Amino acid sequence: MALLAPPSLAAALTRIALDHDAPFWHRVYALRALARAGVSLSDENLARLLDELCAREPHAAREGDRPFPTTPPLIELAPFASRGARRAELLARLERVSPAARRAWLAAMGPCADHRDEELEAWLVARWIDDVAQRSPEEEDASFALHLAEEHPDALDVLAAYLRVHPRDAEIFEEIRRFPELAHRLGDEARAEAAAALVLPRRDLMRHFGLAALREAVRKAILDHNDALLDPLERPEYPRYRGALAFLEEDEEGPAIATDLLAHARLHENGRVDLGLVLYKRQRLVALRHLQERGAEPENLALSRAILLDIAKNPDTRDRPALLTAIRFPDPAARFLALDVLDAVAEDGPAFRAALEYLAEDPDPYVRLRVSGALARRGNAARVQDLVEAARSSAEVGLRGTALRLLGMLAEARDHFDLFERALLEDHAEEAPEGHSPAVEQAAIALGSVFGPEATTALLRGHLLAPSNAALDVIEAALVVVLDECEGKPRTAAARRQEITLRDGGRCASWSPFPSRRWRG
């Protein structure tokens, strides 16, 4: 009901929202349905819910067999008091509750909300900072300030106040790397320590080093970190290392330093990946040449995968030679990723056809399945049936999910509604450790993209049976898209897929079987 948000059920939804005996999530979803439908609460009903909210301290622990409170949180009531006299009344009520209650409501503003209320959140942050200023900040305050600082930089005042009177450890450098302003709030001594640790922005580092000395310090930090990675008895210093990489990304000599280290230094696999990506971001063609010439070497396979994943985000015609080379790498992940990108950009020249013929007998089942997808896209009807059989009966859920993803991108997908629906409702196997349910997720994307409003009933049933948070999120994204289309203009399958991807954050749409498999051993 929260997704459908029918205004005709406003009275019933209001009764559920006001019912103290209704389960917590029933009340929350009833309020969300009302908000989505644009139906307001009466002044009396809003006052009842606010009275209930303010009467319960959200930070208080339950005692004994006392039932878990079902009161909807502040963020779910905010849409009904978003402006004017209602907003003023809400803020007046929040002024009268305890500081602990305000802090608890602030902490709950994001995780389960339908939409953020930035104005209310900013008010609660400012009020919390004022509350902490009346006493000595505690460790819990410092952690909470760090959590808020990304979007509310003034929260760093609380963290700085805590750090001034408590012992500081090496973790402070990671915090300063994320929030350089923190060093300025802590004073000159902290700024000097942060500069020595390379965690300040380039312009600030230049005030403490000459350029030549700074580049040498960066080089040393990278080599020291790699030595620690190669020695099981050493503990790497990540803030200093990350600061060094950040400097290389900005410095005009960064690509040259990265190239030199990749060519001559004894590097851990992870170090090669990091330096290769620095090079790729700054000088794409140089990184691609490195991929072509040395990507197949055992020590560079992880770097090859990382560059191929970055290429997939924004393919370019200049990538073609490197991708055609990567198709013949000894690493199945590299072959799969290279083929995935080439297929996505509709590559179809003689070299690509020869590569498909070469990979048709690949020892890895995922690569062979990916070849079937590429050939099916180019009109090979027999390969469409290969995808159908793999989606229906492969032993591994990753193979079934891959087949569903590839089939869902074809025009022939419209002939296989039952297959996608069965996968959505029944194929709930999960991948460890990522927690994906590939068959369910890819079936939901295909149903929403290919069938649009025709898939509404199947998606609603899938929403009730979703086996994981990832599956629930992508099914909900697909539902929102198809329900919006019911009330608006028809969309193409490509437009629906793009919208589902945006709403899902790309988490499921960009799923690949390879990051979850143990290719390193």
Side-chain angles (χ1 to χ4, degrees):
M1 288 301 100
L3 286 167
L4 294 170
S8 60
L9 294 181
L13 292 168
T14 301
R15 284 197 299 273
I16 294 170
L18 294 169
D19 185 358
H20 291 223
D21 296 326
F24 171 81
W25 281 109
H26 288 196
R27 301 183 74 186
V28 166
Y29 282 131
L31 287 168
R32 290 186 185 182
L34 290 168
R36 286 175 176 175
V39 176
S40 183
L41 292 170
S42 68
D43 289 344
E44 179 185 355
N45 287 335
L46 178 60
R48 284 175 59 186
L49 286 167
L50 290 174
D51 288 342
E52 181 185 346
L53 177 77
C54 294
R56 182 176 68 83
E57 290 289 305
H59 64 290
R62 281 194 299 148
E63 298 177 1
D65 296 327
R66 185 179 174 187
F68 194 87
T70 68
T71 305
L74 173 64
I75 188 61
E76 304 296 347
L77 301 180
F80 304 98
S82 60
R83 59 178 65 87
R86 286 191 168 195
R87 177 51 59 102
E89 171 61 19
L90 174 61
L91 297 181
R93 284 174 177 265
L94 295 179
E95 283 283 5
R96 296 194 291 268
V97 300
S98 69
R102 283 194 293 268
R103 189 240 189 247
W105 287 326
L106 173 58
M109 285 295 281
C112 61
D114 207 8
H115 297 288
R116 285 183 59 191
D117 187 325
E118 295 181 5
E119 178 188 349
L120 180 57
E121 188 174 320
W123 185 92
L124 286 168
V125 170
R127 197 66 182 81
W128 174 72
I129 293 172
D130 290 343
D131 290 338
V132 176
Q134 307 305 312
R135 55 180 174 79
S136 294
E138 302 172 357
E139 184 176 357
E140 185 181 6
D141 298 315
S143 298
F144 192 48
L146 199 59
H147 166 72
L148 294 172
E150 193 77 51
E151 296 183 6
H152 303 281
D154 287 348
L156 290 174
D157 288 336
V158 173
L159 180 57
Y162 174 82
L163 292 171
R164 287 192 199 100
V165 296
H166 291 84
R168 302 198 294 259
D169 57 25
E171 287 186 11
I172 190 176
F173 295 127
E174 180 60 27
E175 293 161 4
I176 291 175
R177 190 187 69 81
R178 289 177 58 202
F179 306 109
E181 179 60 25
L182 179 60
H184 298 284
R185 296 177 192 235
L186 287 170
D188 292 342
E189 182 180 349
R191 279 200 301 274
E193 293 172 358
L198 301 178
V199 294
L200 293 180
R202 185 177 188 274
R203 65 180 182 279
D204 294 326
L205 290 174
M206 294 292 289
R207 299 190 185 110
H208 294 266
F209 292 91
L211 184 56
L214 179 54
R215 286 172 176 159
E216 187 56 37
V218 164
R219 187 185 185 93
K220 183 176 186 305
I222 290 171
L223 292 173
D224 287 349
H225 180 81
N226 274 275
D227 289 343
L229 289 174
L230 293 165
D231 186 344
L233 299 180
E234 289 289 329
R235 183 178 180 181
E237 295 184 17
Y238 283 98
R240 181 179 176 82
Y241 175 66
R242 290 173 183 141
L245 291 175
F247 175 82
L248 285 186
E249 286 191 17
E250 293 187 24
D251 186 47
E252 60 185 12
E253 290 296 319
I257 295 172
T259 301
D260 182 61
L261 289 169
L262 283 168
H264 302 111
R266 177 173 171 260
L267 297 174
H268 185 274
E269 181 182 66
N270 293 349
R272 286 188 170 277
V273 170
D274 293 334
L275 287 170
L277 290 178
V278 167
L279 187 59
Y280 180 76
K281 291 172 185 175
R282 289 293 307 276
Q283 291 191 0
R284 183 169 181 146
L285 293 180
V286 175
L288 291 174
R289 187 163 62 247
H290 184 85
L291 176 67
Q292 281 182 261
E293 295 173 358
R294 303 187 60 182
E297 297 172 5
E299 66 270 22
N300 285 323
L301 290 179
L303 170 57
S304 298
R305 291 195 290 272
I307 290 178
L308 288 166
L309 284 168
D310 256 37
I311 289 174
K313 297 174 186 175
N314 186 26
D316 189 290
T317 54
R318 294 173 297 175
D319 306 330
R320 182 176 177 274
L323 292 168
L324 290 170
T325 300
I327 275 177
R328 298 178 182 269
F329 281 3
D331 178 25
R335 299 196 297 275
F336 183 97
L337 292 167
L339 180 53
D340 212 33
V341 177
L342 285 167
D343 189 29
V345 298
E347 174 65 31
D348 202 22
F352 183 62
R353 289 282 181 170
L356 290 178
E357 184 176 341
Y358 167 77
L359 293 173
E361 303 299 325
D362 196 276
D364 187 87
Y366 286 87
V367 176
R368 293 198 303 274
L369 190 60
R370 193 63 192 79
V371 170
S372 292
L375 290 171
R377 189 175 181 185
R378 287 157 181 79
N380 189 322
R383 295 297 185 154
V384 176
Q385 190 57 35
D386 289 345
L387 297 178
V388 171
E389 290 302 320
R392 182 179 292 132
S393 58
S394 290
E396 291 186 32
V397 68
L399 285 168
R400 299 195 298 275
T402 301
L404 289 163
R405 177 171 79 89
L406 295 170
L407 183 61
M409 295 178 178
L410 302 177
E412 292 84 351
R414 289 203 61 84
D415 300 330
H416 299 284
F417 181 93
D418 291 346
L419 176 64
F420 292 117
E421 184 180 41
R422 185 199 65 79
L424 176 71
L425 301 179
E426 300 177 15
D427 196 348
H428 290 176
E430 292 190 19
E431 273 194 330
E434 288 84 356
H436 278 286
S437 305
V440 174
E441 295 164 21
Q442 298 308 313
I445 294 170
L447 286 166
S449 302
V450 176
F451 298 95
E454 299 171 52
T456 302
T457 301
L459 289 168
L460 284 169
R461 294 174 66 199
H463 192 269
L464 295 172
L465 300 171
S468 65
N469 287 335
L472 186 67
D473 289 345
V474 75
I475 294 170
E476 186 162 324
L479 265 173
V480 170
V481 170
V482 301
L483 291 172
D484 282 350
E485 188 172 344
C486 289
E487 300 176 0
K489 295 180 180 179
R491 288 174 169 165
T492 64
R496 293 185 199 119
R497 179 178 291 275
Q498 183 179 29
E499 184 66 19
I500 292 170
T501 300
L502 289 172
R503 289 180 177 275
D504 173 58
R507 180 183 177 189
C508 297
S510 63
W511 172 83
S512 167
F514 279 82
S516 62
R517 298 173 73 199
R518 298 176 182 271
W519 298 109
R520 299 193 181 193

